[in-house]
């Protein structure tokens, strides 16, 4: 399980990398609609802002609600694991949607060249 600081770093790295790819494609790939790529960068920025706000969640119970400290710690760990997993799943789903939009904005000849290079 990661902590909030590491998760926020991951979000920033992923969103920064996606935005960089869009801007590079807009400037250097012939046939790419620059306006579409720049709009996608806006979506990435919104994703990052929303994700960074959504990382802050907390366990709503206190140790005195449980019979022992071990039970409290077990429930607290389970809560944070579920919360982090849910966050990652939602974030990854949105990232995959953005990547599909990026790929759709590429011209067909670039897509074909990328497929050939991957072989």
């Amino acid at each position: 399980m990661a902590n909030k600081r590491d998760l926020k770093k991951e979000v920033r790295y992923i969103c920064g990398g996606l935005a960089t790819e869009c801007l590079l494609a807009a400037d250097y790939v012939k046939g790419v609609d620059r306006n579409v790529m720049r709009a996608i960068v806006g979506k990435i920025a919104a994703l990052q802002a929303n994700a960074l706000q959504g990382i802050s969640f907390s366990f709503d119970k206190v140790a005195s609600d449980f019979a022992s400290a071990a039970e409290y710690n077990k429930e607290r760990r389970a809560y944070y694991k579920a919360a982090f997993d849910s966050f990652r799943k939602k974030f990854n789903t949105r990232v995959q949607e953005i990547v599909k939009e990026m790929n759709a904005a590429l011209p067909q000849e670039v897509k074909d060249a990328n497929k050939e290079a991957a072989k």
Side-chain angles (χ1 to χ4, degrees):
M1 177 174 72
N3 59 35
K4 290 178 188 179
R5 180 180 47 209
D6 291 339
L7 196 54
K8 286 181 178 184
K9 285 180 185 179
E10 287 177 22
V11 166
R12 286 186 187 106
Y13 289 142
I14 291 168
C15 290
L18 288 172
T20 301
E21 289 293 325
C22 285
L23 294 173
L24 287 173
D27 289 339
Y28 296 110
V29 176
K30 293 180 182 180
V32 172
D33 186 357
R34 292 178 182 212
N35 294 329
V36 170
M37 284 298 192
R38 290 197 173 101
I40 294 171
V41 171
K43 291 179 183 181
I44 293 168
L47 170 65
Q48 178 175 327
N50 292 335
L52 291 176
Q53 287 178 340
I55 289 174
S56 297
F57 36 78
S58 61
F59 189 54
D60 60 347
K61 297 181 182 170
V62 293
S64 61
D65 292 341
F66 296 89
S68 68
E71 281 184 42
Y72 170 74
N73 290 333
K74 180 181 176 184
E75 289 295 320
R76 187 171 179 258
R77 274 192 300 273
Y79 171 82
Y80 279 111
K81 182 176 181 349
F84 281 122
D85 289 346
S86 173
F87 173 82
R88 278 196 180 102
K89 183 178 178 184
K90 290 175 188 174
F91 181 75
N92 287 338
T93 300
R94 186 65 184 118
V95 166
Q96 290 172 357
E97 292 170 0
I98 288 173
V99 169
K100 286 180 183 177
E101 289 179 40
M102 290 168 60
N103 288 335
L106 292 174
Q108 188 60 42
E109 57 270 5
V110 173
K111 291 178 190 178
D112 294 340
N114 288 341
K115 286 181 184 177
E116 287 298 317
K119 289 183 180 179

